[in-house]
Amino acid sequence: MGEAMSELRNEGVLIIGSGMSYHGSHDGSEKEDSKLFHEYLRNALLDTDYDVKVKKMIQWYLSPRSRNCHPREEHLIPLMVILGAAGPGSTVEEVFHEDVMDVGVSSYLFR
């Protein structure tokens, strides 16, 4: 879907995705779970090879503590769509990261 939307960027359309990288339970493990999963997402998104980014996002469920952070993938779909819309040759920058209620929350800018 994201790749199909990539032409909109060439027309000057701003594409925004929203979601969180943690949607698990708050059972005491969330801080460590969130940290490990965030490291995986950060490394995937900041990789300079677009194909590697896409592969890592497709295989998100293989990352450390992935299912503790996301029992299902629907909260990651906006991020996957934005990655596809940004396309090869795009750059990604982490513009925000804080811990909120013991879980990491980040924002990424795709150019």
Side-chain angles (χ1 to χ4, degrees):
M1 179 189 303
E3 290 175 0
M5 295 171 58
S6 65
E7 282 302 311
L8 294 172
R9 291 182 69 224
N10 297 333
E11 297 175 21
V13 174
L14 175 65
I15 303 170
I16 298 174
S18 177
M20 280 189 70
S21 60
Y22 187 86
H23 284 276
S25 64
H26 289 274
D27 61 4
S29 68
E30 61 271 6
K31 190 169 189 171
E32 186 65 18
D33 292 347
S34 172
K35 179 180 179 227
L36 292 172
F37 189 63
H38 176 261
E39 287 174 7
Y40 178 88
L41 283 180
R42 176 188 281 155
N43 290 335
L45 294 172
L46 298 181
D47 197 296
T48 56
D49 185 324
Y50 178 76
D51 292 332
V52 170
K53 288 180 203 190
V54 170
K55 182 178 180 180
K56 286 181 179 179
M57 291 307 299
I58 289 170
Q59 297 178 338
W60 70 273
Y61 56 89
L62 299 175
S63 66
R65 314 277 176 89
S66 61
R67 291 294 184 185
N68 293 7
C69 296
H70 282 280
R72 298 171 312 279
E73 63 277 349
E74 72 269 12
H75 293 283
L76 290 172
I77 298 295
L79 182 58
M80 295 173 186
V81 170
I82 294 300
L83 176 60
S90 62
T91 60
V92 181
E93 176 185 356
E94 185 178 65
V95 294
F96 174 82
H97 179 77
E98 287 291 330
D99 285 344
V100 177
M101 296 174 47
D102 286 333
V103 298
V105 176
S106 298
S107 295
Y108 293 91
L109 177 63
F110 294 74
R111 297 177 195 226

